[in-house]
């Protein structure tokens, strides 16, 4: 049985207002940031677990891994270039064009690779495709969240 001091301390802690962390204007919510990181983690881990358990040759696994890494990098690079242009931060035309080209190539490599993969069932192809798309979307969202958080904190 709890003594009077423990009951008093517990009651006092319940009565104290919770400390609310104030979010800056324009900063994404913690829930949105968490959902973005969760989506990236789920997408990448699912993709990699699928690759690890696949019966394909090691060079094929390497191809799909390289396409994932290339896609993630190109998506972040393009998002940054688009955002920089939108905020009147100088971006060279060549960098902007290469960013678009790299993302298009990575998506094309994934589509062509899955289309031509005879050793992968249709359901596996769908699994890899969806994990890839989820990962690309999530990494763009995370980049946006980081940029928005930085901008909101710089305003103060």
């Amino acid at each position: 049985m709890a003594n009077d001091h423990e009951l008093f301390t517990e009651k006092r802690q319940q009565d104290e207002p919770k400390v609310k962390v104030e979010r800056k204007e324009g900063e994404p919510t913690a829930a949105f940031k968490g959902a973005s990181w969760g989506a990236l983690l789920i997408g990448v881990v699912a993709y990699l677990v699928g690759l690890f358990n696949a019966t394909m040759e090691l060079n094929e696994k390497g191809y799909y891994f390289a396409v994932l890494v290339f896609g993630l990098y190109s998506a972040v690079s393009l998002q940054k270039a688009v955002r920089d242009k939108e905020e009147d931060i100088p971006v060279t035309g060549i960098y902007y064009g290469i960013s678009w080209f790299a993302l298009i190539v990575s998506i094309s490599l994934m589509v062509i690779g899955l289309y031509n993969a005879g050793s992968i069932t249709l359901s596996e192809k769908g699994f890899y495709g969806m994990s890839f798309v989820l990962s690309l979307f999530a990494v763009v969202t995370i980049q946006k969240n980081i940029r928005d958080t930085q901008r909101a904190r710089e305003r103060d």
Side-chain angles (χ1 to χ4, degrees), residues 28 38 77 132 144 147:
S77 184
F132 183 73
K144 181 189 179 314
R147 186 87 170 244

Side-chain angles (χ1 to χ4, degrees), residues 96-111:
Y96 185 72
I98 288 172
S99 297
W100 269 110
F101 179 74
L103 183 62
I104 291 167
V105 167
S106 69
I107 293 170
S108 298
L109 286 172
M110 177 58 77
V111 170

Side-chain angles (χ1 to χ4, degrees), residues 37-95:
W37 279 101
L40 179 63
L41 186 66
I42 289 168
V44 170
V45 168
Y47 189 95
L48 294 177
V49 167
L51 273 183
F52 181 78
N53 291 317
T55 57
M56 62 181 83
E57 296 291 324
L58 192 56
N59 62 334
E60 290 176 281
K61 290 181 181 185
Y63 171 83
Y64 287 108
F65 177 75
V67 169
L68 175 67
V69 172
F70 181 41
L72 293 175
Y73 179 79
S74 63
V76 168
S77 184
L78 177 60
Q79 195 278 342
K80 183 182 178 337
V82 168
R83 183 82 180 252
D84 284 352
K85 282 185 77 146
E86 186 69 27
E87 295 175 358
D88 293 327
I89 297 172
V91 177
T92 63
I94 190 75
Y95 183 79

Side-chain angles (χ1 to χ4, degrees), residues 24-27 148-156:
K24 309 285 187 215
E25 183 180 340
E27 181 180 6
D148 290 346
T149 299
Q150 180 183 6
R151 172 145 333 264
R153 292 185 180 167
E154 285 174 354
R155 286 185 196 140
D156 288 341

